[in-house]
Amino acid sequence: MERPSVQTSPIIPKPRGRRALYATWGFIVLCIFALYHMEKSWHHPAEYITFYFAALQIGALLRGVCNFMEEIQHVQSRYRSSWWRVVVACLSPSLHRHMLLLLISVCAYMALFGDTGLQLFLNLILLCLCQLLSFAFGLQVRSPSAVEMSEICEKNNRNVAHGLAWSYYVGYLKLVLPRLKDLISEFNRANNNLLKCKETWKLHILLPVSCEIYDDLQKADSHIQYWKDLPALQLDRAGTKWRSYKQSIYTILGEDKKGAGVLNYCIVEYAPPLQSLYAMSQDESAAFSREDRLEQAQLFCRTLGEILQHSKECAGCYRLIVYEGEDDSHFLSKEILRHIRQQHLEEYTMCEGNHESTTFLSTEPNILISDSELPRPLRSDGF
């Protein structure tokens, strides 16, 4: 029997692929094809290509030298008195490639066109003058587009969402989730085994992409009612003795506001970093627009899911509930109930060594293979 596929949220952006690179190579092929049919001699295209590559490399070097002249006055405050750090910061990381391409371009120019050393020197001066004029008038150094900035931040892990996701994981989830099942067991012993269904022994983390978070969940949805707290986890953290971490248990009511047994008890809370994103968008000094907030919230959800998927300590102890929200005042309770029921319908994998958890990012269904010829129930409790 196939395991039912987990619904993948359409609001989470996927990592950018390589289509831009493929498009670049496609246009290169088209240009070469056009030149092949239009140019009788390759001498003229070769001259332009050589000049262009020489100009690019000279421009990169000149830009680094001009930046160096500015940074030398910050060598103590920004670079800890290290001149080498200044040089590395100002020049391109691919400096060796620039130097190599410049050398190849100069040698190719001399070999193809046979200019004298003086003529070559004059041509290089003209290239430098053109590049410097471009810098002076702001013609060549342009600001990256919004797409390019987003791609740079994502690939180099420099966006706000990445830092918030790692802070949330390292400072909270990595401490709490590995101990969560022990806390639930302790709670059950003192509360007549209230949380019987181990499939829902997870921290259900609410991730509203709108970043609108209620301090009281019952104000967000009257069908979500506070029940009790789990035993507090106390740890020594950052100079604070016995810092307390605790989670709350809620009862999720259905449409008829009648409890449906233990299926409706679960541990639910918001992800606090999303509240920080919302506060940033409301603070003028943060210069954080609503569009920025939406983009960073989406990236936060994706980054957090990726971090937790690679965490062996947290496997099987969490459930990410990503949603946008609707006009329905009971949308949130319905969404939580949908996730709870889905956990009860999911089959167990037979391999004990498989520690991968199912999250909203799951896309591939697993196949349940029994080691017996006789049919077996999909759940260990016989349901």
Side-chain angles (χ1 to χ4, degrees):
M1 177 183 295
E2 286 191 353
R3 180 181 182 176
S5 60
V6 178
Q7 183 178 2
T8 303
S9 176
I11 59 178
I12 302 302
K14 297 180 180 179
R16 288 186 172 89
R18 301 172 62 87
R19 291 186 178 182
L21 179 61
Y22 298 152
T24 302
W25 280 106
F27 285 120
I28 289 174
V29 172
L30 288 176
C31 290
I32 294 176
F33 181 79
L35 288 172
Y36 178 78
H37 286 83
M38 297 176 64
E39 288 285 348
K40 296 181 179 180
S41 172
W42 286 94
H43 185 274
H44 190 244
E47 180 180 1
Y48 268 87
I49 291 174
T50 303
F51 260 92
Y52 177 74
F53 274 101
L56 283 180
Q57 313 322 311
I58 291 174
L61 294 175
L62 287 176
R63 185 163 59 248
V65 172
C66 293
N67 289 332
F68 180 82
M69 300 305 295
E70 165 63 30
E71 295 302 304
I72 54 177
Q73 64 177 339
H74 306 290
V75 63
Q76 292 183 351
S77 59
R78 294 176 181 268
Y79 303 99
R80 292 176 288 180
S81 301
S82 173
W83 288 96
W84 175 247
R85 292 177 184 269
V86 181
V87 173
V88 172
C90 292
L91 296 178
S92 171
S94 56
L95 175 62
H96 60 285
R97 281 186 286 176
H98 288 299
M99 296 297 294
L100 179 61
L101 283 174
L102 179 60
L103 179 61
I104 292 175
S105 299
V106 171
C107 292
Y109 183 84
M110 295 178 64
L112 290 172
F113 311 112
D115 286 348
T116 62
L118 179 60
Q119 184 64 36
L120 176 62
F121 183 69
L122 290 175
N123 289 333
L124 290 177
I125 291 178
L126 286 173
L127 286 177
C128 291
L129 178 61
C130 292
Q131 290 290 339
L132 291 172
L133 287 172
S134 297
F135 299 154
F137 292 106
L139 300 177
Q140 185 173 4
V141 183
R142 64 176 181 85
S143 300
S145 66
V147 172
E148 291 168 334
M149 284 294 297
S150 176
E151 186 174 10
I152 291 171
C153 291
E154 285 187 45
K155 287 187 175 180
N156 294 279
N157 296 325
R158 293 179 179 175
N159 51 49
V160 176
H162 184 268
L164 288 175
W166 272 103
S167 176
Y168 182 45
Y169 168 71
V170 175
Y172 178 68
L173 295 180
K174 193 175 181 179
L175 303 176
V176 170
L177 293 183
R179 302 171 173 87
L180 182 65
K181 293 185 178 181
D182 293 336
L183 294 175
I184 294 175
S185 298
E186 180 182 345
F187 174 85
N188 277 342
R189 286 194 293 269
N191 291 273
N192 196 26
N193 201 24
L194 180 68
L195 300 174
K196 296 180 180 180
C197 301
K198 292 188 177 181
E199 293 91 336
T200 57
W201 280 21
K202 299 175 183 179
L203 178 61
H204 296 75
I205 305 173
L206 302 178
L207 298 169
V209 178
S210 64
C211 297
E212 296 181 3
I213 291 178
Y214 293 83
D215 293 327
D216 185 353
L217 269 173
Q218 193 164 348
K219 292 181 179 180
D221 190 330
S222 60
H223 286 190
I224 304 175
Q225 299 180 359
Y226 170 77
W227 183 255
K228 288 184 178 180
D229 289 331
L230 283 179
L233 174 65
Q234 295 182 327
L235 300 171
D236 295 342
R237 292 289 293 175
T240 301
K241 300 294 291 183
W242 299 103
R243 176 168 289 181
S244 180
Y245 302 86
K246 67 177 182 178
Q247 296 74 40
S248 298
I249 303 173
Y250 287 86
T251 300
I252 315 299
L253 301 180
E255 286 294 323
D256 55 357
K257 293 189 177 182
K258 294 180 180 179
V262 294
L263 298 183
N264 290 348
Y265 290 104
C266 68
I267 307 164
V268 183
E269 64 183 44
Y270 285 106
L274 293 180
Q275 198 170 29
S276 301
L277 286 177
Y278 187 84
M280 288 176 62
S281 67
Q282 303 299 310
D283 194 325
E284 294 182 358
S285 61
F288 200 70
S289 67
R290 182 181 180 277
E291 290 72 20
D292 294 332
R293 184 186 74 196
L294 176 61
E295 179 186 13
Q296 293 301 312
Q298 292 173 331
L299 291 175
F300 172 83
C301 296
R302 193 190 80 192
T303 304
L304 180 63
E306 292 173 350
I307 293 172
L308 289 172
Q309 279 185 328
H310 291 89
S311 174
K312 294 183 179 179
E313 302 98 320
C314 301
C317 299
Y318 66 92
R319 182 84 176 188
L320 303 183
I321 303 178
V322 185
Y323 63 94
E324 284 185 311
E326 294 182 356
D327 295 334
D328 187 355
S329 60
H330 300 303
F331 167 79
L332 185 54
S333 60
K334 292 177 183 177
E335 187 69 9
I336 295 174
L337 283 174
R338 184 180 68 82
H339 278 265
I340 292 175
R341 295 188 185 108
Q342 192 175 44
Q343 292 174 79
H344 282 270
L345 293 176
E346 290 173 356
E347 302 94 337
Y348 294 126
T349 52
M350 300 304 295
C351 178
E352 295 181 356
N354 183 9
H355 297 286
E356 294 185 1
S357 60
T358 301
T359 70
F360 69 99
L361 295 173
S362 303
T363 56
E364 293 295 332
N366 293 327
I367 306 300
L368 180 66
I369 301 176
S370 174
D371 55 359
S372 173
E373 296 181 357
L374 298 177
R376 290 185 175 182
L378 297 179
R379 291 185 42 194
S380 60
D381 55 5
F383 286 170

